[in-house]
Amino acid sequence: MLNIVLVEPEIPPNCGNIARTCAATGSRLHLVEPLGFDVSDKAVKRAGLDYWHLVEVTVYSGLDDLFRRRPEAAGDLWLATTKAPRDYSQARFSPDCWLFFGKETKGLPLNFRERFRDRCVRLPMVSQARSLNLANSAAVLIYEALRQNGFPGLLGSGEMSEDGL
């Protein structure tokens, strides 16, 4: 099962969209504080996130807390950053890898990127573009990791295939 990590996310709709992608793909969502929003049951219901119950969400007080509680994360992780030396197509994602995404305004911390420099990947884009939206970036990498592993546990065909179309 894929593990999606948002490090200090700031924008609620981005987190909501990523949570929806996690729900649709059976991926786990890990949130590293501080968060720029509330994820309590009351706040989630008020926001109308009717799929939130389909997502396994864990909140950590910081990256150190995440690695202390989930030491396996350090073994097979990938960091999404516009500063990476290689694009994501060069990565070989395992079915249980950890995909890390940084906060919308600053990305992942420099010391974290340097620590795992060989595990940093980027999404190719024109030089004039600063970055893609966080939720879009996460969706691209989640589905690439799933594709590389044969879309484990996901629906193999659409409704139209039953009609032979």
Side-chain angles (χ1 to χ4, degrees):
M1 177 181 296
L2 288 179
N3 293 279
I4 311 310
V5 183
L6 304 183
V7 178
E8 301 180 11
E10 301 167 311
I11 302 174
N14 283 336
C15 184
N17 288 331
I18 293 167
R20 189 179 197 104
T21 301
C22 288
T25 60
S27 302
R28 290 185 195 105
L29 180 59
H30 304 268
L31 303 175
V32 178
E33 295 178 327
L35 308 179
F37 45 84
D38 182 8
V39 291
S40 67
D41 286 340
K42 182 179 178 181
V44 168
K45 286 177 186 170
R46 187 172 54 244
L49 303 179
D50 59 345
Y51 51 83
W52 195 260
H53 69 284
L54 298 174
V55 185
E56 182 181 328
V57 181
T58 307
V59 179
Y60 305 88
S61 63
L63 282 171
D64 289 341
D65 182 37
L66 182 143
F67 287 114
R68 184 178 46 75
R69 291 168 50 191
R70 302 300 299 261
E72 70 273 19
D76 189 12
L77 55 74
W78 294 95
L79 284 61
T81 173
T82 59
K83 296 151 185 70
R86 61 183 174 161
D87 72 73
Y88 75 93
S89 70
Q90 298 172 30
R92 294 297 161 247
F93 301 110
S94 74
D96 299 314
C97 69
W98 293 69
L99 303 176
F100 284 76
F101 300 88
K103 67 167 78 178
E104 291 89 342
T105 57
K106 295 183 182 177
L108 292 166
L110 175 62
N111 63 344
F112 184 55
R113 292 192 324 261
E114 288 298 329
R115 179 177 166 197
F116 295 103
R117 185 180 192 85
D118 64 329
R119 306 296 280 188
C120 290
V121 294
R122 63 181 165 73
L123 278 71
M125 63 188 85
V126 298
S127 61
Q128 297 86 352
R130 186 179 72 246
S131 64
L132 287 175
N133 172 274
L134 179 62
N136 293 338
S137 297
V140 169
L141 290 184
I142 291 168
Y143 271 93
E144 175 61 14
L146 292 168
R147 183 196 66 78
Q148 287 184 16
N149 290 284
F151 297 105
L154 301 182
L155 185 61
S157 62
E159 180 181 303
M160 292 175 67
S161 65
E162 295 173 4
D163 298 331
L165 300 176

